[in-house]
Amino acid sequence: MSGGSDGNRAYGHRPFTRSKSHFTDRITADARDGWPVEAGRYRLVVSLACPWASRAVISRRLLGLEEALPMAIADPVQDDRSWRFTLDPDGRDPVLGIRYLAEAYDKRESGHTGGVSVPAVVDVPSGKLVTNDFQRITLDLATEWTGLHRPGAPDLYPRERRDEIDAVMAEVYEDVNSGVYRAGFATGQDEYDEACAGVFRRLELLASRLAGRRYLVGDTITEADIRLFTTLVRFDAVYHGHFKCNRWKLTENQVLWAYARDLFQTPGFGDTVDFDHIKRHYYQVHSGINPTRIIPLGPELSGWLTPHHREELGGRPFGDGTPPGPVRAGEEVPSRGRP
């Protein structure tokens, strides 16, 4: 999720295009791009509002990388310079010492004209952005950072299932993760109709897939589930109304609502979700769509904690591993953003 120099009013006045990440260096065990996996060297910058960044937040917690990869949380409400650290004392990230994530982008490439997006990984010693490759960051956390994983960390990208995981993720990305944005930022009826129909067509196919199986691929949680969850958890709160994806609510689809609740109640998922950040970002930043910037009171959140009965389908959420432990001190989700 990114912001640019043309300001928040541009949202809703131009078609949505999810641009490729401009900075695609990888942090790997063999340092092939010059960036070695190293505990404490990098800072993961996220927004709890952003579905793309939330993938990294969930993966980091499931894998137990909290100490190895410290995290900075940006203010959910951007200004025209994009993501800012106004949640921190003096409006600066306490480790990087910067007010805006754009400063790390500028250190990497002076005069960079692209958007400033999260998730982003910044090299602490130099203050330079390393990568904003949202598609690759989580895969590398699962496969390149294994030496720093917690004991009992799950295998989120098992080698023997990668082809199937990749195929499912590609469909989810095109029709669901990006589809809700194409519908929400559509500038014409035909553009909206096509995008919105695609969202629900894919959701119905996913519901059929999940009717008899607990997870998308195999019998354990994988990267594919993380990527679908981050859209589903935002669906009724913002995509149904704000993005006009309103053929039905998530709560009205028995299979997907139970699947989403199952993940939400799994350690590492719901304990990283902040509905307050989510709603404030979408309704206040996208002023081209919501010019009054009024934040709706709903939806009611208590349903996220109701029984889902998905355990009756079997499955082993963490495979041969174990759940992550309690949330580390200092990384709790604010209470007003929780059910």
Side-chain angles (χ1 to χ4, degrees):
M1 189 177 288
S2 64
S5 59
D6 46 2
N8 298 333
R9 288 184 297 275
Y11 290 112
H13 295 288
R14 61 186 181 193
F16 172 77
T17 302
R18 183 68 190 181
S19 58
K20 293 183 178 180
S21 301
H22 182 68
F23 300 100
T24 57
D25 286 2
R26 294 175 60 190
I27 300 169
T28 59
D30 64 3
R32 70 194 72 165
D33 288 348
W35 304 105
V37 171
E38 184 179 325
R41 174 169 175 174
Y42 307 100
R43 192 150 176 82
L44 175 65
V45 181
V46 302
S47 164
L48 298 180
C50 172
W52 321 96
S54 289
R55 300 174 177 183
V57 179
I58 293 169
S59 296
R60 171 180 174 269
R61 173 143 161 67
L62 292 177
L63 298 172
L65 291 170
E66 292 97 327
E67 290 188 12
L69 182 60
M71 185 170 71
I73 299 175
D75 191 317
V77 180
Q78 302 160 287
D79 66 15
D80 286 349
R81 289 189 61 183
S82 195
W83 300 107
R84 52 188 182 162
F85 297 107
T86 45
L87 301 181
D88 295 300
D90 301 321
R92 293 184 182 273
D93 179 79
V95 174
L96 300 173
I98 57 178
R99 294 186 181 278
Y100 289 88
L101 178 57
E103 295 173 58
Y105 276 66
D106 289 341
K107 284 190 176 181
R108 172 66 186 271
E109 183 179 297
S110 179
H112 167 62
T113 57
V116 177
S117 65
V118 289
V121 181
V122 178
D123 177 51
V124 174
S126 67
K128 294 180 180 179
L129 177 77
V130 176
T131 178
N132 67 346
D133 190 349
F134 67 99
Q135 296 281 47
R136 190 71 234 180
I137 287 173
T138 48
L139 297 181
D140 283 344
L141 291 181
T143 59
E144 297 290 337
W145 289 66
T146 53
L148 296 173
H149 287 181
R150 66 177 174 87
D155 186 352
L156 298 176
Y157 195 47
R159 187 175 298 277
E160 68 276 10
R161 294 191 175 274
R162 288 182 188 176
D163 288 346
E164 185 179 2
I165 291 171
D166 289 346
V168 171
M169 291 194 305
E171 294 170 345
V172 169
Y173 173 78
E174 181 63 27
D175 296 334
V176 181
N177 301 148
S178 288
V180 293
Y181 280 85
R182 288 198 305 275
F185 291 157
T187 57
Q189 189 67 50
D190 291 345
E191 180 187 354
Y192 162 78
D193 289 347
E194 181 180 1
C196 191
V199 168
F200 286 94
R201 182 169 56 248
R202 180 61 58 192
L203 288 177
E204 287 164 356
L205 289 171
L206 290 166
S208 296
R209 181 184 183 93
L210 289 163
R213 59 197 301 170
R214 192 170 179 184
Y215 304 112
L216 283 172
V217 181
D219 66 347
T220 64
I221 292 167
T222 68
E223 175 81 12
D225 297 294
I226 295 172
R227 296 190 181 193
L228 178 57
F229 173 80
T230 57
T231 294
L232 293 184
V233 79
R234 289 161 173 77
F235 202 87
D236 288 3
V238 289
Y239 301 145
H240 180 271
H242 184 58
F243 277 180
K244 306 179 185 70
C245 294
N246 61 357
R247 281 188 54 197
W248 37 263
K249 296 177 181 178
L250 177 66
T251 54
E252 295 169 347
N253 185 290
Q254 182 177 359
V255 172
L256 292 180
W257 176 223
Y259 166 79
R261 298 200 319 276
D262 185 7
L263 291 176
F264 186 89
Q265 294 170 34
T266 299
F269 284 83
D271 51 24
T272 68
V273 174
D274 189 318
F275 286 105
D276 176 61
H277 278 220
I278 290 168
K279 289 167 60 176
R280 284 198 289 133
H281 171 79
Y282 282 89
Y283 287 103
Q284 293 196 315
V285 171
H286 300 162
S287 56
I289 300 173
N290 184 40
T292 65
R293 303 177 77 234
I294 292 172
I295 303 170
L297 292 176
E300 170 59 43
L301 300 176
S302 60
W304 282 101
L305 301 179
T306 58
H308 52 76
H309 305 296
R310 293 281 293 179
E311 66 276 0
E312 296 171 7
L313 295 173
R316 303 173 303 141
F318 301 99
D320 296 328
T322 58
V327 176
R328 294 176 69 232
E331 296 201 348
E332 299 91 347
V333 172
S335 59
R336 72 186 181 121
R338 300 278 295 142

